[in-house]
Amino acid sequence: MSPVTVRERYGDRLFKPERVATELPRLSALAGMHDADTFRCLNSLGVSPGWRCLDVGAGPGHVARWLATAVGPSGAVTALDRDTRMLRGFENPSNLEAVDADVLAAASGQASFDLVHCRIALMHIPQRAELLARLASWVRPGGWLMVGDHVDFATHSSPYPALRQTFAAMRKMLNSTIGTDFHFARDYAGRLRELGLRDVAVDASTPVLRAESAANEFWLRTWDQVWPRMELDEEVYREARRLLKDPEVVDLSLTLVTAWGRK
């Protein structure tokens, strides 16, 4: 009988939310990398005053605050995360409620949300297929589920060996420690259809890696946390960091695949 692999969870050792001074700028850089595309996709759904929305894995709350403005005083937004201390550090709209809860253990309740949104969270949770179905169950008939995660289409073919090796070492380490899957979102369209959702659509955006961009800041801050646990020579890591700070270097980041469907 093969041994059972016991993985730590996102936030247990890697990316601990209580390290606000470290995590807030890292996740703010992530928001800077993807918010424009996320808001464009949300706008395409016609998010309107009066909607009830749930943002799962809210982090510092960039998407939750955007939704709160879009739905207005007659609407309501619930921002759910295992630890919402980063979100609570901002001046949030009165129609935004922060809830500390593990989404896998949160009370299921009724299908009551006009929109359930989740960005870059499922890929880090081994029970991602179960959770995707759970999120869909919280959407009211006629409402929308929108999910987005990273898929690594580009870094395998980077012309810079140090970047190829560093991204590969990161993927391997995150998969073995917390169960991150960099391919799960590749078939979000098919997964949403299997859950019975209609009007399924997909968007894909690949940020460009340029010095001083939000994408480069995010990866620099992420690697600084995780590289000691990666199988990677320090010289390679230092060269990868140098490349991300070099104004002459232009490359491609991971792709954000966003999919949505109507219940």
Side-chain angles (χ1 to χ4, degrees), residues 25-259:
R26 189 181 77 89
L27 295 181
S28 294
L30 179 67
M33 181 164 51
H34 293 312
D35 275 357
D37 293 303
T38 297
F39 299 161
R40 173 174 51 81
C41 292
L42 288 169
N43 266 321
S44 74
L45 301 187
V47 178
S48 305
W51 279 33
R52 297 186 69 248
C53 303
L54 172 65
D55 186 31
V56 175
H62 292 79
V63 174
R65 281 187 292 277
W66 185 93
L67 288 170
T69 299
V71 304
S74 61
V77 176
T78 301
L80 188 150
D81 209 317
R82 281 175 56 195
D83 188 321
T84 62
R85 73 185 69 195
M86 281 185 285
L87 187 151
R88 295 175 189 273
F90 290 85
E91 184 175 346
N92 295 307
S94 59
N95 62 341
L96 193 163
E97 179 187 12
V99 175
D100 290 72
D102 186 331
V103 66
L104 289 168
S108 58
Q110 297 180 338
S112 58
F113 291 101
D114 298 289
L115 168 72
V116 174
H117 172 265
C118 183
R119 184 178 72 183
I120 310 184
L122 273 71
M123 64 183 293
H124 296 302
I125 300 174
Q127 306 93 326
R128 55 189 63 87
E130 171 192 337
L131 179 53
L132 183 63
R134 196 161 211 252
L135 298 181
S137 74
W138 294 343
V139 180
R140 69 163 182 81
W144 295 91
L145 172 63
M146 177 180 285
V147 288
D149 275 299
H150 281 153
V151 177
D152 195 352
F153 292 122
T155 71
H156 306 269
S157 57
S158 171
Y160 301 99
L163 291 180
R164 287 201 309 269
Q165 293 174 51
T166 302
F167 275 111
M170 179 193 70
R171 290 195 307 270
K172 180 179 179 181
M173 186 277 294
L174 290 178
N175 178 261
S176 63
T177 56
I178 62 177
T180 300
D181 188 334
F182 288 89
H183 304 287
F184 183 74
R186 176 64 179 84
D187 189 30
Y188 261 155
R191 298 180 193 281
L192 295 186
R193 290 192 185 99
E194 289 175 359
L195 291 172
L197 302 184
R198 307 287 183 88
D199 302 325
V200 172
V202 175
D203 181 85
S205 57
T206 305
V208 175
L209 294 174
R210 287 194 181 96
E212 299 186 2
S213 67
N216 285 30
E217 181 182 355
F218 173 73
W219 291 118
L220 287 168
R221 290 182 178 277
T222 298
W223 292 349
D224 282 348
Q225 286 198 54
V226 304
W227 90 265
R229 300 181 66 180
M230 290 162 29
E231 295 179 8
L232 185 69
D233 289 341
E234 183 171 353
E235 289 185 7
V236 175
Y237 165 67
R238 297 299 177 191
E239 173 63 8
R241 288 190 97 262
R242 186 197 68 77
L243 289 167
L244 291 191
K245 292 185 173 185
D246 186 339
E248 298 299 317
V249 172
V250 179
D251 205 351
L252 296 176
S253 182
L254 274 62
T255 299
L256 175 67
V257 174
T258 303

Side-chain angles (χ1 to χ4, degrees), residues 3-21:
V4 176
T5 301
V6 179
R7 291 188 173 99
E8 64 189 72
R9 296 183 304 173
Y10 183 108
D12 285 347
R13 293 177 62 194
L14 296 169
F15 317 126
K16 297 180 72 169
E18 61 266 31
R19 296 175 181 166
V20 175

